Amino acid sequence: MGVTAAGPSEEDAGAAGGTQSIAGVTAARAFDQATAVRRTTGGQYDMQPDPRFSPAAPSGDFQPAVNGGVLIAAMLRAVLDTSPHPHPVATSANFLRVPRIAPAQVVVTWLKQGKTAAVARTSLLQDDQLMIESTVATGSLAGDARDPVLPEAMQAAQALSWTAEPPSLPPVDECVPVEAGGGIRGQVDLRLDPATAGWMKRSPAGIPEMRGYFRLRDDRPPDAYLLAFAVDALPPVVFGLGAFGWAPTVELTWHMRAVPADGLLRVAARCRHVGGGWFDEEAEVWDSVGRLVAQSRQIARVGR
Amino acid sequence: MGVTAAGPSEEDAGAAGGTQSIAGVTAARAFDQATAVRRTTGGQYDMQPDPRFSPAAPSGDFQPAVNGGVLIAAMLRAVLDTSPHPHPVATSANFLRVPRIAPAQVVVTWLKQGKTAAVARTSLLQDDQLMIESTVATGSLAGDARDPVLPEAMQAAQALSWTAEPPSLPPVDECVPVEAGGGIRGQVDLRLDPATAGWMKRSPAGIPEMRGYFRLRDDRPPDAYLLAFAVDALPPVVFGLGAFGWAPTVELTWHMRAVPADGLLRVAARCRHVGGGWFDEEAEVWDSVGRLVAQSRQIARVGR
């Protein structure tokens, strides 16, 4: 079978602008290539970690590994390929081993397919060894077509709406661009709030926070897959404390809250506690029309 | 085999004060009974949801179900029984179906047993049907005995320490006690910040927040298991918006950050977005000596 970018939902990479026409040729963009999965005859999916999305150290060196959010995005493509619901509302992932730049397999097992939510267990394997174990709960979000026979009480619950204040960021032209470089720095156009960019000059702010505007350099529009990357795409918050080593994620959970509008994403990450070699990083992603579109928390090891 | 309260770590319910001597008889406290697991000859664990920990509605009615955090605590006992590391650092759970007040089985499968972290998949089943699917990453926390041959760079990462500001709560005697009643109200002594207690008089504050002091009425000391409950023990934050129905959790992830000291726990829960029938609830738990001991986020359905 051909490369499956997504299932039959509106997450479809085509509908979301995952492909673009260059000189009459339809070429998938880097992010869509890096997260593409191909269904095999056995009902599993093949994919390959793409070194264009390797994490970069402040020195410009990059790891022989791939950003966890990008790998999760690929796993989500496999999940949504057979999901009864369109959106990955809750995704939890345990990073057991560091996937190599080599062929990998994604296995999806549905644990529940309910009217409100469906839950799949999703595993990424290399040479039959489990690298990432994930569970994904899919569902509908506000704005999706509603069940025409929704009971009245359910309609009221569905209609309740409340949102907290968005993060405060200076205008984008007052932010500090992270220079292009190896790995994800060649893919991501990140403009950091100067208050959280001191680490770039080896003068960290002393606070584990990171805020900025995020888009891909080829301006691929945001969708669920890009949100999976966006929640893990900022430099680790502990760079703000001067801990510049590679900070491997042990567990990351993220929630999709709305379908993002086109345009720049605002990402704000904070930390609540660093200790015992562990730190947490909580990120929020807001879209260009001011909606909270994703939330995440990960627990990671302090870089050495 | 006898009732296994925990593995050979300091999480052992005995060491944590899970049992108390009454008139010369050692009697397990309600929470320890409700979360007890018994290893079977097949290497699985038996447990039974305990209606003393059923969630209570503002009306005083309670559901024929058991608080999700209490069920997770039982699953953690099974995980720690065979864990190479003492603490459940990261626990993610998907609530697929509502467990009945009937016998249940807990199955633990180790996916990785590493030096820094071990990861287990843990399932709670009734009549061979999957009710809760969970992954647990165990590890060491600050203050645990350290590897005597820890390399220097690793020691520096281990020593880095930073903590955010704790939540602001009025003194406990200015807080509003939640009356004893059916289900968990008979077990939990909860004193709510008056700013988040208006819903008790059907006059919700209009903000989805909940803060208060938490302990069990029998004063069982906090440990990892009680933290699993504490992150899910406050009334749903959407009570603050007047949504008083039962709010079923779809997914909950929590992180243990430190071993809690004895005494009252402070729990602060907030929400960032309600929409499309979904709401998030983020809780922090701080111990009596001012340490952040647990963090959680859950995504749940707005009650009808």
Side-chain angles (χ1 to χ4, degrees):
Chain A
M1 295 181 66
V3 170
T4 300
S9 72
E10 77 250 47
E11 302 298 348
D12 185 275
T19 56
Q20 63 185 151
S21 180
I22 301 171
V25 181
T26 298
R29 303 192 199 197
F31 180 75
D32 297 293
Q33 292 169 344
T35 57
V37 295
R38 184 189 300 266
R39 185 154 35 176
T40 66
T41 48
Q44 300 186 1
Y45 299 82
D46 286 340
M47 65 85 60
Q48 177 146 341
D50 187 326
R52 289 177 291 180
F53 289 88
S54 294
S59 61
D61 294 343
F62 57 100
Q63 296 287 335
V66 169
N67 175 279
V70 172
L71 298 172
I72 295 301
M75 295 170 79
L76 290 177
R77 286 199 194 273
V79 169
L80 291 185
D81 190 37
T82 54
S83 172
H85 301 295
H87 305 295
V89 174
T91 302
S92 295
N94 278 268
F95 295 84
L96 306 172
R97 298 169 184 93
V98 179
R100 298 178 301 281
I101 309 295
Q105 290 73 47
V106 178
V107 180
V108 176
T109 307
W110 287 98
L111 304 178
K112 182 198 175 185
Q113 292 206 335
K115 281 186 186 172
T116 307
V119 178
R121 182 194 297 152
T122 314
S123 308
L124 189 141
L125 302 106
Q126 283 183 325
D127 295 334
D128 295 328
Q129 193 174 39
L130 189 57
M131 313 306 278
I132 302 175
E133 175 82 346
S134 171
T135 52
V136 182
T138 63
S140 293
L141 293 169
D144 288 342
R146 290 182 193 174
D147 185 336
V149 291
L150 213 59
E152 201 172 321
M154 204 167 155
Q155 284 177 21
Q158 199 82 7
L160 188 69
S161 180
W162 186 93
T163 308
E165 284 296 307
S168 178
L169 274 172
V172 64
D173 57 9
E174 294 174 19
C175 288
V176 184
V178 177
E179 279 175 32
I184 69 171
R185 289 200 188 175
Q187 301 299 329
V188 171
D189 178 6
L190 190 61
R191 314 290 175 108
L192 288 181
D193 182 340
T196 67
W199 62 270
M200 290 169 66
K201 295 181 174 174
R202 294 270 164 172
S203 175
I207 297 175
E209 294 182 0
M210 209 62 77
R211 287 183 295 278
Y213 295 88
F214 169 95
R215 67 175 193 106
L216 292 183
R217 292 191 188 276
D218 62 13
D219 220 12
R220 179 197 182 279
D223 61 2
Y225 307 119
L226 194 60
L227 293 180
F229 178 31
V231 297
D232 193 37
L234 264 52
V237 285
V238 290
F239 279 15
L241 296 178
F244 291 138
W246 187 42
T249 303
V250 171
E251 190 274 340
L252 183 151
T253 298
W254 79 279
H255 297 115
M256 180 172 178
R257 306 307 306 279
V259 178
D262 283 0
L264 282 176
L265 297 172
R266 284 173 291 163
V267 187
R270 66 174 193 170
C271 167
R272 300 293 289 163
H273 178 62
V274 185
W278 299 98
F279 72 97
D280 64 287
E281 180 170 313
E282 303 172 39
E284 285 188 355
V285 185
W286 295 71
D287 75 2
S288 61
V289 297
R291 287 180 305 193
L292 177 61
V293 290
Q295 298 169 279
S296 72
R297 182 181 288 126
Q298 61 174 278
I299 189 121
R301 299 294 299 172
V302 177
R304 294 160 197 167
Chain B
M1 295 181 66
V3 170
T4 300
S9 72
E10 77 251 47
E11 302 297 348
D12 184 275
T19 55
Q20 63 183 152
S21 181
I22 301 172
V25 181
T26 298
R29 303 193 199 196
F31 180 74
D32 296 294
Q33 292 169 345
T35 57
V37 295
R38 182 190 301 265
R39 186 158 29 182
T40 66
T41 50
Q44 300 186 1
Y45 300 81
D46 287 338
M47 66 85 60
Q48 177 146 343
D50 187 326
R52 288 177 292 181
F53 289 88
S54 294
S59 60
D61 295 343
F62 58 99
Q63 296 287 334
V66 168
N67 174 280
V70 172
L71 298 171
I72 295 301
M75 296 170 79
L76 290 177
R77 287 198 192 273
V79 169
L80 291 185
D81 189 38
T82 55
S83 172
H85 300 294
H87 305 295
V89 173
T91 303
S92 296
N94 278 270
F95 295 84
L96 306 173
R97 298 170 184 93
V98 179
R100 298 177 300 281
I101 310 296
Q105 290 74 47
V106 178
V107 180
V108 177
T109 307
W110 287 96
L111 305 177
K112 182 198 175 185
Q113 292 205 333
K115 280 185 186 172
T116 307
V119 178
R121 182 193 297 152
T122 315
S123 308
L124 188 140
L125 301 106
Q126 285 184 322
D127 294 334
D128 295 326
Q129 192 174 39
L130 189 56
M131 314 305 279
I132 304 176
E133 177 81 346
S134 171
T135 52
V136 182
T138 63
S140 293
L141 293 169
D144 287 342
R146 289 183 194 176
D147 184 336
V149 291
L150 212 60
E152 200 171 322
M154 205 168 153
Q155 283 176 20
Q158 199 83 7
L160 188 68
S161 180
W162 186 92
T163 307
E165 285 296 307
S168 178
L169 274 173
V172 64
D173 57 10
E174 292 175 19
C175 288
V176 184
V178 177
E179 279 177 31
I184 69 171
R185 291 201 187 174
Q187 301 298 327
V188 171
D189 178 5
L190 189 61
R191 314 288 176 109
L192 288 183
D193 182 340
T196 67
W199 61 271
M200 289 169 66
K201 295 182 175 174
R202 294 272 164 168
S203 176
I207 299 175
E209 294 182 0
M210 209 63 73
R211 288 183 296 277
Y213 296 89
F214 169 94
R215 67 175 193 105
L216 293 183
R217 291 191 188 276
D218 62 13
D219 220 12
R220 179 196 182 280
D223 61 3
Y225 307 119
L226 194 59
L227 293 180
F229 178 30
V231 297
D232 192 38
L234 263 52
V237 284
V238 288
F239 278 14
L241 296 178
F244 291 139
W246 188 41
T249 303
V250 170
E251 190 274 339
L252 183 151
T253 298
W254 79 278
H255 296 115
M256 181 172 177
R257 307 307 308 277
V259 178
D262 285 358
L264 282 176
L265 297 172
R266 282 173 292 162
V267 186
R270 66 173 192 170
C271 167
R272 300 293 290 163
H273 179 62
V274 186
W278 300 96
F279 72 98
D280 65 286
E281 179 169 313
E282 302 173 39
E284 285 189 354
V285 184
W286 296 70
D287 74 1
S288 60
V289 298
R291 288 181 305 196
L292 177 61
V293 291
Q295 296 169 281
S296 71
R297 183 181 288 127
Q298 60 175 279
I299 189 121
R301 299 294 298 172
V302 177
R304 292 161 198 167

